[in-house]
Amino acid sequence: MRHQSVEVFRVSCSGPGDLSGVKALVASGRLVVADIVAVMGKTEGNGCVNDHTREFASVAWCHWLAAALGCSPEEAGRRVALVMSGGTEGVLSPHFTVFTRRWINGPAPAGPKRLVIGTAQTRDFAPAELGRAAQVDATAKAVREAMAQAGIASADDVHFVQVKCPLLTSTAVQRSVDLGTEPVTRDTYESMAYSRGASALGVAVGLRELTRDAVTDEVILRDFSLYSARASASAGIELDHNVVIVLGEAAGAASSYRIAHTEMADAIDGKAVQALLAGFSEPARLVNLLAKAEASHDGRVRGQRHTMLNDSDISATRHARAAVGGVLASVAGHTALYVSGGAEHQGPAGGGPVAAIFHLGDPA
Amino acid sequence: MRHQSVEVFRVSCSGPGDLSGVKALVASGRLVVADIVAVMGKTEGNGCVNDHTREFASVAWCHWLAAALGCSPEEAGRRVALVMSGGTEGVLSPHFTVFTRRWINGPAPAGPKRLVIGTAQTRDFAPAELGRAAQVDATAKAVREAMAQAGIASADDVHFVQVKCPLLTSTAVQRSVDLGTEPVTRDTYESMAYSRGASALGVAVGLRELTRDAVTDEVILRDFSLYSARASASAGIELDHNVVIVLGEAAGAASSYRIAHTEMADAIDGKAVQALLAGFSEPARLVNLLAKAEASHDGRVRGQRHTMLNDSDISATRHARAAVGGVLASVAGHTALYVSGGAEHQGPAGGGPVAAIFHLGDPA
Amino acid sequence: MRHQSVEVFRVSCSGPGDLSGVKALVASGRLVVADIVAVMGKTEGNGCVNDHTREFASVAWCHWLAAALGCSPEEAGRRVALVMSGGTEGVLSPHFTVFTRRWINGPAPAGPKRLVIGTAQTRDFAPAELGRAAQVDATAKAVREAMAQAGIASADDVHFVQVKCPLLTSTAVQRSVDLGTEPVTRDTYESMAYSRGASALGVAVGLRELTRDAVTDEVILRDFSLYSARASASAGIELDHNVVIVLGEAAGAASSYRIAHTEMADAIDGKAVQALLAGFSEPARLVNLLAKAEASHDGRVRGQRHTMLNDSDISATRHARAAVGGVLASVAGHTALYVSGGAEHQGPAGGGPVAAIFHLGDPA
Amino acid sequence: MRHQSVEVFRVSCSGPGDLSGVKALVASGRLVVADIVAVMGKTEGNGCVNDHTREFASVAWCHWLAAALGCSPEEAGRRVALVMSGGTEGVLSPHFTVFTRRWINGPAPAGPKRLVIGTAQTRDFAPAELGRAAQVDATAKAVREAMAQAGIASADDVHFVQVKCPLLTSTAVQRSVDLGTEPVTRDTYESMAYSRGASALGVAVGLRELTRDAVTDEVILRDFSLYSARASASAGIELDHNVVIVLGEAAGAASSYRIAHTEMADAIDGKAVQALLAGFSEPARLVNLLAKAEASHDGRVRGQRHTMLNDSDISATRHARAAVGGVLASVAGHTALYVSGGAEHQGPAGGGPVAAIFHLGDPA
């Protein structure tokens, strides 16, 4: 019987195109290129519309993977799910989290569930489909495909679903308007929120946290009581479809990693994350936190006014990453954390989902 | 015998010029205008050179105080120490912390030391004096005057010294250069760091944390092993001299408030603040935290690279406030905190001083 | 018979609250405070949602006018139309353009038409009225009132209509949503565009450039072929209603000033402005240019891509002011120009209206 | 006898990594990859320290050139002088200006001088060498090497010298400080100015506009009366040495292009550029303008205050590019112009050099 062994490497970088740390891992024999199935990167751009560091990192990865795998850069980009999230505001440190998976034949390990991973991609979207039902449905379908690939039968065993989704540039807006298809918004920065929101609701449908009927065009970015507790979506200029990474646990996996998740009730809910870490009873080292951050839409945190949504100099997602990055780093004790901005329909309004990946038997 | 009773009010505002909350306190009889000795405000500007929200708030306070006290706005500004610190990045919430002091005749209260306050002002500085020994000396002198006014005999009883200090605009730089007096820097943003640094070292000298001999022009912004553990300096465009507020404790004070302080070792040292709060054994309500934040000059937090000093879109002080604001809010449980950016010679390199003001007998 | 004499003073300032230049004019006897009817200021904020320099300047003016006129600051703000436009990007220089009007009895001057001015204000708007027909109608009505006050019978004699209009803060958005009245947008920055757009279309209706029927909610920010060639609208946080200033010419006015206008076809159409100035045949000194600037919504200037609409670090209105400010300054030869950002329905798409005020008989 | 034929292609792009326009030129047979000697790109980053679009574009070019030339990306970067200048503020449009050179044997063409090009590179600099004499000298030497390669005997025939030079990141600053070698500044943004200034003075020495004796460490960024009228320097994070491109004219060249230059006296001196274009008497099409822009260090343009140097939200170089880009585009009639920010010692203080490249016999 075939079962999987997943490994997770958190690798620092000196810039969006710096893969020297990854190359060193390969040279040391610890990382095998052909095993890489997904990369979640934090790059030092603004995380908004004109963040080219995401594309730069993706291009660098594709070129390097292509040379190592003997394929074209485009093919490398199809084989490996590359999700780059821009924005390392405040203390956050640019890095890549690299996931490998190896299929092992033989009797499945006994014992508790272990980390597994699956990936999938949707078709390309037309500009007018972003932020609407078409994106919800395609995402839900991709989530189920990725779960199947990961060998996860029950949605309860899914702890984090990362989606990389497109945004609208002014060129795309204009093209869509010229075609007579009005996009959900003409504002490029706002299009990121719509794309994330529809993707997150797609995850919620895929994981059966919400019924498909509950998710109409009208609720997207309107009814924030609807959300997935495990979705994380990042929008970027570098793709036209959704990429989905499902992280969960399955019995019989041979990984020496585990994953757990919680919800931050608001942007300063460090206590939830302390409880998540304290609640993990096995001897283990925290590899990384994966989290979403947002400026609460009601303009308040614990009843007090914040200024993030009125700031025309710094985008609200940048503020949110900086603040939540501080909160999480003070709990985790390190700063190379995956904190992504814009948590529309991802966790409760004003808060967000957080997952923790642990390496077992390594309590350092 | 005359002894003082200090009260502290933390008042939210809807904008830099909004004093409606303060007026409501006056209307309710809880706040007496003539008792106000100092105001420490957080306003929603960028906290950098072109932050006019600080001046706007100061002007609004001066006009209102003048009308209430029957004096000119200028005179009001001399009577009350107004320190406005710009920047409410991330979750931070704009607010004013208002300090009142009333002198009471009669037997001094027995019991432990209680909160006292003193203020002082230096002379105006020439542009070429900023960031240099002249500013150090004048600040040290003002600290001792404010201590005397506060009735604090030992520097050990000082827990926080807030300084408001000038910066160099491009106009001031040019004027100084034309006069043949080269300013310490021609970069306006960097002048804020020099002014804060010299002011902080002045506090260190005033509190005898450092000897005067140890502080030369050459160490300012160079040797960050020299610092005051209790200094907090904010630079602003709205004044040409230093304003000093000394917060400490004295026996015989009638205040129902206390103050304590600690040092954050780095920007994510939430544990130090948790210990500060946990270490306060009397039943009390936390009124506010007063803290400084900075991007560590070595470009690292706990060994990992940060990007704050290389960011030409967002000033490093803004990043630092956002991150440290998140850390402190997650500990304090509220977001209307006084977190000021740029901690040069204020607390250890990369970290900063934190003071906590408590209202006794009010454990809410 | 009563006729008016209008004067126009362009006064530099060292900051949003600096009225020293204005005070010097009063001290010299050239400016009489009681004659001031309108002020159009350029302040050095970001011109966007969180630009508090506009309010700061308005407050400073109100306090100063109040002291001089012997009324309350609020009353001063009602008597004088204060329009502050934030943003002096690039070479633009902060300044105030002060309009005075004196009514003179006696025979009307013969000769050509001369500069006249009229002002009016609308009622306060509910958040959900902004960017919609209610704002259009109220603005059109105010334009006609201001024309009547100015003594302009034919809309052909109107050369510039300045409108100051509100924006939506996140607090206002939330309040409106809570009331069940969905605002035209929940994005605070975008609300500025809607408010300007509806106001401009209101001017177009008021000046009969468009019929009222042509202006529905659906065309606002959608059909940019509809515009006023003479409207200039600036949104700001500091008011809840529209202020309207009509500038035009009338026979019988005693002013030694004239005004003319043109349209820039796009953001680099300096030739139109050169033609406007060259076409003014009387000996005269250019007092100021009043202009609107925008990033063309199709993402192109003369067929080539611009990046203003995709920039999440600098708002598009800031880019547009900087570029158009350069174009106009190279033609006018000075930089204290009134260039305001966001020209939705103000002049042709991608371009904008420009008015020139001349002082006759003063060819310096 | 061997003589050169230089061609110049201005190619639009849809992003920093988009070479589709260049590839189309190759596919059409108009551009031969092996002939490419230099590329001057305008990319849409912030043009400041953390502008990764420059490196992204360079990497994309290197990968593409490597595949076409059959060499490694590193070798491609050595063969072709790649100068990427970030920042397309305002109306500026991202594009590449591609220079090819072909050596032709046979009798040299008679007639007037024609466009020639030469390139050279300096050694790598240590961080503490930037902005100091070492950089001046190495640049001057490279200018002479590039002149020789271009076949230009007299410096009078040089019309533009483009230098790409390094900057200091916070990591480099720290490393240098740790080595006991104090860099010229610890401020990363200011290091760009120092690197540009020393490079420009190196050009001035190389072209004998200044004697070597006149250029000491003390004058760099201090005495702006010293400048090169033909130097253009851009600092970037993507290299550690200087790359030099010399553009000039030589008799006997077979190019159908010419080049001329002028100086803008200040940022709004459009008249100088109008005169440059009007003064070119042959029938020709303007291919591109190459220009430098800066915020005048005295804080004024034509005597009026500008706010660029006090703006902590937008770097001064960004303001300057936006404004000068508007001025130049209004003269040139198109927006894909090479306008680079930071003109320290490049043209007169507050102004800058401008070169125009013309294609002969193509008056479109």
Side-chain angles (χ1 to χ4, degrees):
Chain A
M1 184 191 161
R2 207 176 72 137
H3 50 274
Q4 62 183 297
S5 172
V6 172
E7 285 198 282
V8 189
F9 301 87
R10 199 188 71 219
V11 192
S12 291
C13 57
S14 67
D18 173 39
L19 302 183
S20 60
V22 181
K23 292 173 188 172
L25 277 176
V26 173
S28 76
R30 293 180 56 205
L31 175 64
V32 175
V33 180
D35 293 344
I36 298 173
V37 289
V39 178
M40 288 173 60
K42 279 306 305 177
T43 60
E44 51 260 78
N46 62 21
C48 303
V49 181
N50 63 327
D51 183 349
H52 298 281
T53 64
R54 296 175 303 223
E55 187 183 4
F56 183 11
S58 294
V59 165
W61 271 93
C62 285
H63 274 290
W64 177 71
L65 288 169
L69 299 175
C71 66
S72 70
E74 295 71 27
E75 173 61 22
R78 278 188 293 272
R79 284 198 210 171
V80 176
L82 297 169
V83 174
M84 302 299 160
S85 163
T88 56
E89 293 81 5
V91 296
L92 294 172
S93 189
H95 69 283
F96 302 107
T97 303
V98 182
F99 295 87
T100 62
R101 185 179 54 194
R102 185 172 294 190
W103 294 101
I104 298 173
N105 287 310
K113 294 171 179 173
R114 290 286 184 266
L115 181 65
V116 292
I117 188 171
T119 66
Q121 313 217 9
T122 70
R123 63 177 171 84
D124 283 359
F125 297 115
E129 289 182 322
L130 286 194
R132 289 176 171 148
Q135 196 176 16
V136 173
D137 288 328
T139 305
K141 180 165 168 282
V143 167
R144 286 172 191 141
E145 292 169 5
M147 281 176 61
Q149 193 200 68
I152 300 176
S154 162
D156 293 348
D157 284 329
V158 172
H159 290 278
F160 204 71
V161 180
Q162 176 63 43
V163 182
K164 183 78 199 184
C165 53
L167 56 79
L168 295 176
T169 62
S170 59
T171 304
V173 167
Q174 189 62 33
R175 203 175 59 229
S176 197
V177 168
D178 290 347
L179 288 171
T181 53
E182 183 67 31
V184 68
T185 176
R186 295 190 183 193
D187 184 275
T188 59
Y189 179 66
E190 195 179 31
S191 77
M192 301 177 77
Y194 272 105
S195 183
R196 288 188 299 255
S199 298
L201 291 171
V203 173
V205 170
L207 297 182
R208 303 194 197 287
E209 295 170 287
L210 296 174
T211 64
R212 177 61 186 85
D213 290 351
V215 181
T216 60
D217 282 359
E218 286 65 39
V219 307
I220 300 174
L221 296 202
R222 284 294 173 267
D223 183 355
F224 291 113
S225 71
L226 303 176
Y227 67 86
S228 165
R230 289 162 282 171
S232 164
S234 296
I237 205 172
E238 67 273 23
L239 77 179
D240 292 313
H241 63 289
N242 277 15
V243 175
V244 171
I245 303 173
V246 164
L247 295 170
E249 293 189 332
S255 314
S256 54
Y257 293 81
R258 292 202 59 190
I259 186 167
H261 79 277
T262 189
E263 295 176 30
M264 290 175 77
D266 59 25
I268 61 174
D269 187 12
K271 288 190 170 50
V273 186
Q274 286 178 318
L276 175 68
L277 301 192
F280 195 81
S281 53
E282 301 176 67
R285 168 178 61 87
L286 176 67
V287 178
N288 213 349
L289 293 177
L290 314 175
K292 290 294 299 188
E294 76 175 357
S296 64
H297 294 84
D298 67 355
R300 299 191 168 267
V301 177
R302 306 244 173 129
Q304 286 170 312
R305 180 171 71 102
H306 67 72
T307 61
M308 299 187 264
L309 297 175
N310 290 336
D311 192 337
S312 304
D313 298 311
I314 301 179
S315 300
T317 45
R318 306 201 74 181
H319 279 290
R321 275 190 298 268
V324 173
V327 173
L328 295 185
S330 72
V331 175
H334 77 88
T335 61
L337 303 165
Y338 185 88
V339 181
S340 167
E344 304 82 359
H345 304 293
Q346 301 150 67
V354 184
I357 300 177
F358 300 95
H359 186 211
L360 298 174
D362 182 3
Chain B
M1 184 190 159
R2 206 175 70 137
H3 50 275
Q4 61 185 296
S5 172
V6 172
E7 286 198 283
V8 189
F9 301 87
R10 199 187 72 219
V11 192
S12 292
C13 57
S14 67
D18 174 39
L19 302 183
S20 60
V22 180
K23 292 173 188 172
L25 277 175
V26 173
S28 75
R30 293 180 56 204
L31 175 65
V32 175
V33 180
D35 293 344
I36 299 174
V37 289
V39 178
M40 289 172 60
K42 279 305 306 174
T43 59
E44 52 260 77
N46 63 22
C48 302
V49 182
N50 63 327
D51 183 350
H52 298 282
T53 63
R54 296 176 303 225
E55 187 184 4
F56 183 12
S58 295
V59 165
W61 271 93
C62 286
H63 274 290
W64 177 71
L65 288 169
L69 300 175
C71 66
S72 71
E74 294 72 28
E75 173 62 21
R78 279 188 293 272
R79 283 197 210 173
V80 176
L82 297 169
V83 174
M84 302 299 159
S85 164
T88 55
E89 293 81 4
V91 295
L92 293 172
S93 189
H95 68 284
F96 302 108
T97 303
V98 182
F99 295 87
T100 61
R101 184 178 55 194
R102 185 172 294 190
W103 294 100
I104 300 172
N105 287 309
K113 293 171 179 173
R114 290 286 185 263
L115 182 65
V116 293
I117 187 170
T119 65
Q121 314 219 8
T122 70
R123 63 178 171 83
D124 282 359
F125 297 115
E129 290 181 322
L130 285 194
R132 289 176 172 147
Q135 196 177 16
V136 173
D137 288 329
T139 306
K141 180 165 168 282
V143 167
R144 287 175 189 137
E145 292 169 5
M147 280 176 61
Q149 195 200 68
I152 301 177
S154 163
D156 293 348
D157 284 329
V158 174
H159 290 278
F160 204 71
V161 180
Q162 177 63 44
V163 182
K164 184 76 200 185
C165 53
L167 56 80
L168 295 175
T169 61
S170 58
T171 304
V173 167
Q174 189 62 34
R175 202 175 60 228
S176 196
V177 168
D178 290 346
L179 288 171
T181 53
E182 183 68 31
V184 69
T185 177
R186 295 190 184 193
D187 184 274
T188 58
Y189 179 66
E190 195 179 30
S191 78
M192 301 177 78
Y194 272 104
S195 184
R196 288 189 299 255
S199 297
L201 290 171
V203 173
V205 170
L207 298 182
R208 304 195 196 286
E209 295 171 287
L210 295 174
T211 64
R212 178 63 186 82
D213 290 350
V215 181
T216 60
D217 281 0
E218 286 65 39
V219 307
I220 300 173
L221 295 203
R222 284 294 173 267
D223 182 355
F224 291 114
S225 70
L226 304 176
Y227 66 87
S228 166
R230 290 162 280 172
S232 163
S234 296
I237 205 171
E238 66 274 21
L239 78 179
D240 292 314
H241 63 289
N242 276 15
V243 175
V244 170
I245 304 173
V246 164
L247 295 171
E249 293 189 333
S255 314
S256 54
Y257 292 81
R258 292 203 58 191
I259 186 169
H261 79 277
T262 190
E263 297 175 30
M264 291 175 77
D266 59 24
I268 61 173
D269 187 11
K271 287 189 170 52
V273 186
Q274 286 178 316
L276 175 68
L277 300 193
F280 196 82
S281 52
E282 301 176 66
R285 170 180 59 88
L286 177 66
V287 178
N288 212 349
L289 293 177
L290 313 177
K292 289 296 297 189
E294 76 175 357
S296 64
H297 293 84
D298 66 356
R300 297 190 170 269
V301 177
R302 307 247 172 125
Q304 286 171 311
R305 179 170 71 102
H306 67 72
T307 61
M308 298 186 265
L309 297 175
N310 290 336
D311 192 336
S312 304
D313 297 312
I314 302 179
S315 300
T317 45
R318 307 201 72 180
H319 280 290
R321 275 190 298 269
V324 172
V327 173
L328 295 185
S330 73
V331 174
H334 76 88
T335 61
L337 303 165
Y338 185 88
V339 181
S340 168
E344 303 83 1
H345 304 294
Q346 301 150 67
V354 184
I357 300 177
F358 300 96
H359 187 210
L360 298 173
D362 183 4
Chain C
M1 184 192 161
R2 207 175 71 137
H3 50 275
Q4 62 184 295
S5 173
V6 172
E7 286 198 283
V8 189
F9 301 86
R10 200 188 71 220
V11 192
S12 291
C13 57
S14 67
D18 173 39
L19 301 184
S20 60
V22 181
K23 292 173 188 172
L25 277 175
V26 172
S28 75
R30 293 180 56 204
L31 175 65
V32 176
V33 179
D35 292 345
I36 298 174
V37 290
V39 178
M40 288 172 61
K42 278 306 304 176
T43 59
E44 52 260 77
N46 62 22
C48 303
V49 181
N50 63 326
D51 183 350
H52 298 281
T53 64
R54 295 176 304 223
E55 187 183 4
F56 182 11
S58 295
V59 165
W61 271 92
C62 285
H63 274 290
W64 177 71
L65 288 169
L69 299 175
C71 66
S72 71
E74 294 71 27
E75 173 61 20
R78 278 188 294 270
R79 284 199 209 172
V80 176
L82 297 169
V83 174
M84 302 300 160
S85 164
T88 56
E89 293 81 4
V91 296
L92 294 172
S93 189
H95 69 283
F96 300 108
T97 303
V98 183
F99 296 86
T100 62
R101 184 177 55 193
R102 187 172 293 191
W103 293 100
I104 299 174
N105 287 309
K113 292 171 179 173
R114 290 286 186 265
L115 181 65
V116 292
I117 188 170
T119 65
Q121 313 218 10
T122 69
R123 63 177 172 82
D124 283 0
F125 296 115
E129 289 181 321
L130 286 193
R132 289 175 171 149
Q135 196 177 15
V136 173
D137 288 329
T139 306
K141 179 163 168 282
V143 167
R144 286 174 191 141
E145 291 169 5
M147 281 176 62
Q149 194 200 68
I152 301 176
S154 163
D156 293 348
D157 284 329
V158 173
H159 289 279
F160 204 72
V161 180
Q162 176 63 43
V163 182
K164 184 77 199 184
C165 53
L167 56 79
L168 295 176
T169 61
S170 59
T171 305
V173 167
Q174 189 63 34
R175 202 174 60 229
S176 196
V177 168
D178 290 347
L179 288 171
T181 53
E182 183 67 31
V184 68
T185 176
R186 294 190 183 193
D187 184 276
T188 59
Y189 179 65
E190 195 178 32
S191 78
M192 302 177 77
Y194 272 105
S195 184
R196 288 189 300 255
S199 297
L201 291 171
V203 174
V205 171
L207 298 182
R208 303 196 196 285
E209 295 171 287
L210 295 174
T211 64
R212 177 62 185 83
D213 289 351
V215 182
T216 60
D217 282 0
E218 286 66 38
V219 306
I220 300 174
L221 294 203
R222 284 295 174 266
D223 182 355
F224 290 113
S225 70
L226 304 177
Y227 67 85
S228 166
R230 290 163 281 173
S232 163
S234 296
I237 206 171
E238 67 273 22
L239 78 179
D240 292 315
H241 63 290
N242 277 16
V243 175
V244 171
I245 303 174
V246 164
L247 295 170
E249 293 189 333
S255 313
S256 54
Y257 292 81
R258 292 203 58 191
I259 187 168
H261 79 277
T262 189
E263 295 176 29
M264 291 175 76
D266 59 26
I268 61 174
D269 187 11
K271 288 190 171 48
V273 186
Q274 286 178 316
L276 175 68
L277 301 192
F280 195 81
S281 53
E282 301 176 66
R285 170 179 59 88
L286 177 67
V287 178
N288 213 349
L289 293 177
L290 314 176
K292 289 295 296 189
E294 76 175 356
S296 64
H297 293 84
D298 66 356
R300 298 190 170 267
V301 177
R302 306 243 173 129
Q304 286 170 311
R305 180 170 71 101
H306 67 72
T307 61
M308 299 186 265
L309 297 174
N310 290 337
D311 193 336
S312 304
D313 297 312
I314 301 179
S315 300
T317 45
R318 307 201 73 181
H319 279 290
R321 274 190 299 269
V324 173
V327 173
L328 295 185
S330 72
V331 175
H334 78 87
T335 60
L337 303 165
Y338 184 88
V339 181
S340 167
E344 303 82 0
H345 304 294
Q346 302 151 66
V354 184
I357 299 177
F358 300 95
H359 186 210
L360 298 174
D362 183 3
Chain D
M1 185 191 160
R2 207 176 71 138
H3 49 275
Q4 62 184 297
S5 172
V6 172
E7 286 198 283
V8 190
F9 301 87
R10 201 188 71 219
V11 192
S12 291
C13 57
S14 67
D18 173 39
L19 301 184
S20 60
V22 181
K23 292 173 188 171
L25 277 176
V26 172
S28 75
R30 294 181 54 205
L31 175 65
V32 175
V33 180
D35 293 343
I36 298 174
V37 289
V39 178
M40 289 172 60
K42 280 305 305 176
T43 60
E44 53 259 78
N46 63 21
C48 302
V49 181
N50 63 327
D51 182 350
H52 299 280
T53 63
R54 296 176 303 224
E55 187 184 5
F56 183 11
S58 294
V59 165
W61 271 92
C62 286
H63 274 290
W64 177 71
L65 287 168
L69 299 174
C71 66
S72 71
E74 295 72 27
E75 173 61 21
R78 278 188 294 273
R79 284 197 209 172
V80 176
L82 297 170
V83 174
M84 302 299 160
S85 165
T88 55
E89 293 81 3
V91 295
L92 294 172
S93 189
H95 69 283
F96 301 108
T97 302
V98 182
F99 296 86
T100 61
R101 184 177 56 193
R102 186 172 293 190
W103 293 100
I104 299 173
N105 287 308
K113 292 170 179 173
R114 290 285 185 266
L115 181 66
V116 292
I117 188 172
T119 66
Q121 315 218 7
T122 70
R123 63 178 171 82
D124 283 0
F125 297 115
E129 290 182 321
L130 285 193
R132 288 173 172 151
Q135 196 176 16
V136 172
D137 289 328
T139 305
K141 180 165 168 283
V143 167
R144 286 173 190 141
E145 291 170 5
M147 281 176 61
Q149 194 201 68
I152 300 176
S154 163
D156 293 348
D157 284 329
V158 173
H159 290 278
F160 204 71
V161 180
Q162 177 63 43
V163 182
K164 184 77 199 185
C165 53
L167 57 79
L168 295 175
T169 61
S170 58
T171 304
V173 167
Q174 190 62 35
R175 203 174 60 229
S176 196
V177 168
D178 290 347
L179 288 170
T181 53
E182 183 67 31
V184 69
T185 177
R186 295 191 184 193
D187 183 275
T188 59
Y189 179 66
E190 194 179 30
S191 78
M192 302 178 77
Y194 272 105
S195 184
R196 287 189 300 254
S199 297
L201 291 170
V203 173
V205 170
L207 297 182
R208 303 194 197 287
E209 295 170 287
L210 295 174
T211 64
R212 178 61 186 83
D213 289 352
V215 182
T216 60
D217 282 0
E218 286 66 39
V219 306
I220 300 173
L221 293 203
R222 284 294 174 267
D223 182 354
F224 290 113
S225 71
L226 303 176
Y227 67 87
S228 166
R230 291 162 281 172
S232 164
S234 295
I237 205 172
E238 67 273 23
L239 78 179
D240 293 314
H241 64 289
N242 276 17
V243 175
V244 171
I245 304 174
V246 164
L247 295 171
E249 293 188 333
S255 313
S256 53
Y257 292 82
R258 291 203 59 191
I259 186 168
H261 79 277
T262 189
E263 296 176 28
M264 291 175 76
D266 60 24
I268 61 173
D269 187 11
K271 287 191 171 48
V273 186
Q274 286 178 317
L276 175 68
L277 300 193
F280 195 81
S281 52
E282 301 177 66
R285 170 179 58 89
L286 177 67
V287 179
N288 212 348
L289 293 177
L290 314 176
K292 288 296 297 189
E294 75 175 358
S296 64
H297 294 83
D298 66 357
R300 297 190 169 267
V301 177
R302 307 244 172 128
Q304 285 170 311
R305 179 169 72 101
H306 67 71
T307 61
M308 298 186 265
L309 297 174
N310 290 336
D311 191 337
S312 304
D313 297 312
I314 301 180
S315 300
T317 45
R318 308 201 73 181
H319 279 290
R321 274 191 298 269
V324 173
V327 173
L328 295 184
S330 72
V331 175
H334 77 87
T335 60
L337 303 165
Y338 185 88
V339 181
S340 167
E344 303 82 2
H345 304 294
Q346 301 150 67
V354 183
I357 299 177
F358 300 96
H359 187 210
L360 298 174
D362 183 4

